[in-house]
Amino acid sequence: MSAQIPEVRSTNELREKWMKPEVITGSEILLRSLLLEGVDCVFGYPGGAVLYIYDAMYGFKDFKHVLTRHEQGAIHAADGYARASGKVGVCIATSGPGATNLVTGIATAFMDSVPLVVITGNVISSLIGTDAFQEADITGITMPITKHSYLVRDVEDLPRIIHEAFHIANTGRKGPVLIDIPKDISAAQTLFVPQTGPVTMRGYNPKVLPNKIQLDKLTQAISEAERPFILAGGGVVYSGGHEALYEFVRKTEIPITTTLLGLGGFPSGHELWTGMPGMHGTYTSNQAIQQSDLLICIGARFDDRVTGKLDGFAPQAKIVHIDIDPAEIGKNVAADIPIVGDVKAVLELLNQDVKRADRADAWRAQIQHWKNEKPYSYKDSETVLKPQWVVELLDETTKGGAIVTTDVGQHQMWAAQYYKFNQPRSWVTSGGLGTMGFGFPSAIGAQMANPDRLVISINGDGGMQMCSQELAICAINNIPVKIVIINNQVLGMVRQWQELIYNNRYSHIDLAGSPDFVKLAEAYGVKGLRATNKEEARRAWQEALDTPGPVVVEFVVSKEENVYPMVTQGSTIDQMLMGDE
């Protein structure tokens, strides 16, 4: 059964309905403007400073609002909605603590270039700066983690500000935009004239098309390279450039790795795909980066978890960096061929002229040899449930066709390693900030964006407890997310580091006092299941798949299991701990 999302009228219908100028409140302007931007679902939590806004929702049948149980749940759900749909996610919170509870979610979206419009209430304009009850300078607090922010001073500006906010959030390098609305502005009345035309803003004009000379340099470099390699990131997914990337690889036959946020941007079943790179990446991807003579980075930012020790990264390679954000080029790794532009546009132009990398036949053979010699592996068991096996079970039973969201930690890495993604926007995870508590509420947003697709949320027993209260909205709205808990009774990734780097000094990682997750699910009216061995796991997971509504499935796994391969901090990415193979 699909999530309960009512029919939403088209923006053309609404535009026609509201074509005649009308005097209405700022709150009504906000709701109408959101609908005109194509918003079909808003996540939020009311409070004093936004009561006029929530009052305007009363009886407004065209406006869909989902009441979460915490503001952090609201913004993570909006984030998951945006990542899984390609649209702008929207959330609303009140002033003071309501607004500050959004900060972690804003930072999460900012680090991962996710388009959000975050709406907060504030105290009345005359009280701003007086430390009034539930006042917080949310625009100042979030300045480093937003693309732009607005403090609305005049209700007449509200239609323009909302229209600009969506434009800024979803163009260039995408990201969160904050709109802070004082309570008197939401109550004030003015003539509403819908804003639907093109947005022109002095000082904001993202460069979409690349420099042709730089493209020619790349084409020439490919023809000369003997060991070319592609490093593709989240920018491929966000730009909608996955088909152009596939065509680029088809024409050049250059092997390719995709970063954590790039998973799904290139089909994992392709013979030239080498898996994920970096700290927990494949042996093949890391060796290929280190031994390549031409590294083509497409829509990735050379994150430290990918590069390892910077002065030892890709030491033999000429570096090509393609990115919509000019500030990223040269920030961490110097680029020999910098190309600023939208990934999709750049690749489509390249595909007009690029040819096969003819000098790389021996390199392709070497890549295949590494793939065959050292794939991901683990010691399976018939008596102890292994987390890698659980992820393989999920992949096998869904044929890689689900949308998968994760929390952060060992289970996140096992999901990235063992679930096979063949289409974009099927993988939702917190990359740059590594936010625990993100996985479950982001799945709710992903499901609301894709009511007819299977959504699986893979969580650890630690992260699940940070936003478990959102089980209520799954039950109430019949949001059929399948919630997987990989329960190893410990903060697994912290335990792994303490074992391998801190000489087995285990400090404050024991989660043995966690709740009974089956009973917790049932307390919210959600089916709960548990598995401790393979037979139980197969049976419980199949029951979850056969159940039309939300289900929690707890898989009790080995506490001692580590994520391998692993590159420790301060090492180059070819200095890998492979574990017991």
Side-chain angles (χ1 to χ4, degrees):
M1 185 179 295
S2 300
Q4 295 176 354
I5 304 176
E7 291 273 334
V8 177
R9 291 199 229 179
S10 72
T11 53
N12 287 334
E13 287 181 282
L14 295 172
R15 195 176 294 121
E16 184 176 335
K17 176 183 177 183
W18 296 326
M19 186 174 294
K20 182 180 178 181
E22 183 181 356
V23 175
I24 56 177
T25 67
S27 296
E28 293 170 305
I29 288 172
L30 172 65
L31 302 190
R32 291 188 185 188
S33 296
L34 291 177
L35 290 173
L36 289 172
E37 294 295 336
V39 175
D40 55 23
C41 184
V42 173
F43 304 87
Y45 201 94
V50 290
L51 281 181
Y52 286 115
I53 295 172
Y54 277 82
D55 184 63
M57 294 181 198
Y58 185 83
F60 197 157
K61 294 182 180 179
D62 288 316
F63 194 83
K64 173 64 177 177
H65 176 277
V66 176
L67 173 63
T68 59
R69 295 302 184 263
H70 194 286
E71 291 90 355
Q72 188 169 349
I75 193 162
H76 289 333
D79 185 312
Y81 176 97
R83 297 191 202 221
S85 68
K87 298 173 66 176
V88 178
V90 182
C91 66
I92 300 177
T94 192
S95 64
T100 57
N101 278 342
L102 299 175
V103 170
T104 297
I106 295 172
T108 300
F110 184 77
M111 288 284 279
D112 289 351
S113 305
V114 178
L116 298 182
V117 169
V118 180
I119 299 158
T120 55
N122 211 329
V123 299
I124 63 173
S125 300
S126 61
L127 290 179
I128 289 177
T130 69
D131 293 330
F133 176 68
Q134 291 196 331
E135 181 192 359
D137 178 11
I138 194 63
T139 56
I141 290 168
T142 61
M143 189 174 293
I145 53 171
T146 53
K147 277 191 74 175
H148 191 60
S149 58
Y150 294 91
L151 173 58
V152 185
R153 293 290 193 176
D154 190 326
V155 69
E156 292 183 3
D157 295 332
L158 197 51
R160 171 187 59 81
I161 286 172
I162 294 166
H163 196 43
E164 287 179 359
F166 277 81
H167 174 72
I168 294 169
N170 210 26
T171 54
R173 180 176 180 174
K174 302 178 182 185
V177 176
L178 178 85
I179 304 175
D180 195 33
I181 306 174
K183 190 171 183 178
D184 55 310
I185 300 298
S186 64
Q189 294 189 336
T190 191
L191 188 69
F192 174 53
V193 180
Q195 300 285 304
T196 57
V199 175
T200 302
M201 301 179 67
R202 188 175 70 177
Y204 181 73
N205 186 26
K207 182 179 173 64
V208 174
L209 296 177
N211 185 305
K212 180 65 165 61
I213 293 174
Q214 299 301 92
L215 297 187
D216 291 342
K217 287 181 181 178
L218 173 53
T219 301
Q220 180 66 27
I222 290 171
S223 69
E224 296 172 355
E226 295 182 357
R227 300 184 306 281
F229 195 55
I230 296 168
L231 171 65
V236 171
V237 176
Y238 301 151
S239 70
H242 55 285
E243 292 180 350
L245 176 63
Y246 187 89
E247 180 68 5
F248 181 71
V249 173
R250 187 189 70 80
K251 286 190 168 187
T252 61
E253 295 185 23
I254 297 175
I256 177 173
T257 180
T258 47
T259 67
L260 180 69
L261 293 183
L263 292 174
F266 189 82
S268 60
H270 196 283
E271 62 181 359
L272 289 173
W273 185 69
T274 63
M276 185 175 67
M279 179 174 282
H280 296 293
T282 63
Y283 178 88
T284 303
S285 294
N286 287 354
Q287 289 293 337
I289 288 172
Q290 294 299 87
Q291 297 189 32
S292 65
D293 63 0
L294 177 66
L295 182 61
I296 306 170
C297 179
I298 306 174
R301 59 185 180 85
F302 291 116
D303 172 76
D304 62 288
R305 292 297 170 102
V306 168
T307 64
K309 185 180 179 183
L310 267 176
D311 60 10
F313 177 74
Q316 305 175 48
K318 175 183 287 188
I319 304 292
V320 181
H321 196 174
I322 302 169
D323 205 287
I324 189 76
D325 184 358
E328 285 297 339
I329 295 180
K331 185 177 81 173
N332 294 328
V333 175
D336 299 289
I337 305 177
I339 300 175
V340 178
D342 176 76
V343 163
K344 181 180 179 182
V346 171
L347 290 173
E348 287 177 344
L349 289 170
L350 280 171
N351 287 338
Q352 295 175 11
D353 300 316
V354 78
K355 292 181 173 58
R356 184 179 186 272
D358 284 332
R359 302 179 65 184
D361 284 340
W363 175 242
R364 282 182 276 266
Q366 176 64 71
I367 294 283
Q368 191 58 53
H369 173 72
W370 283 330
K371 286 178 65 175
N372 294 337
E373 182 185 43
K374 290 188 180 290
Y376 283 133
S377 62
Y378 65 97
K379 281 187 176 179
D380 200 3
S381 171
E382 293 304 314
T383 57
V384 178
L385 198 55
K386 291 297 185 85
Q388 302 95 323
W389 183 89
V390 172
V391 176
E392 288 181 325
L393 173 68
L394 306 184
D395 179 64
E396 174 191 337
T397 52
T398 62
K399 297 180 172 54
I403 295 174
V404 175
T405 80
T406 78
D407 213 85
V408 172
Q410 287 181 313
H411 68 275
Q412 177 190 32
M413 293 298 103
W414 286 316
Q417 290 175 339
Y418 290 96
Y419 198 93
K420 307 305 180 188
F421 299 94
N422 293 309
Q423 54 184 313
R425 301 199 180 278
S426 296
W427 170 245
V428 175
T429 197
S430 173
L433 198 64
T435 304
M436 287 182 70
F438 173 85
F440 172 39
S442 69
I444 293 171
Q447 187 76 80
M448 297 297 282
N450 298 272
D452 296 321
R453 285 192 65 183
L454 173 64
V455 177
I456 304 171
S457 179
I458 304 177
N459 305 271
D461 48 318
M464 183 64 196
Q465 294 182 70
M466 293 191 174
C467 283
S468 61
Q469 70 279 348
E470 306 307 335
L471 283 166
I473 61 174
C474 284
I476 292 167
N477 296 284
N478 196 37
I479 300 172
V481 175
K482 309 309 176 189
I483 304 140
V484 169
I485 301 173
I486 306 292
N487 188 354
N488 59 3
Q489 306 94 48
V490 73
L491 289 172
M493 192 61 84
V494 180
R495 188 209 59 78
Q496 177 169 336
W497 279 57
Q498 289 178 347
E499 175 192 335
L500 299 177
I501 301 170
Y502 294 87
N503 299 319
N504 298 301
R505 294 194 298 274
Y506 299 118
S507 179
H508 299 285
I509 57 170
D510 190 352
L511 295 179
S514 298
D516 182 321
F517 288 107
V518 172
K519 290 182 179 178
L520 180 66
E522 292 171 347
Y524 281 102
V526 173
K527 177 180 282 190
L529 304 168
R530 178 180 294 113
T532 60
N533 57 50
K534 287 183 175 181
E535 181 181 352
E536 291 176 355
R538 290 190 184 96
R539 186 167 58 247
W541 179 241
Q542 189 59 53
E543 184 175 346
L545 291 175
D546 293 340
T547 300
V551 183
V552 170
V553 187
E554 177 190 10
F555 295 94
V556 181
V557 301
S558 168
K559 180 183 293 187
E560 291 76 24
E561 198 71 16
N562 286 336
V563 179
Y564 289 113
M566 179 180 178
V567 178
T568 58
Q569 285 188 328
S571 302
T572 56
I573 58 171
D574 53 353
Q575 296 174 320
M576 307 174 71
L577 303 178
M578 300 303 294
D580 296 326
E581 298 177 309

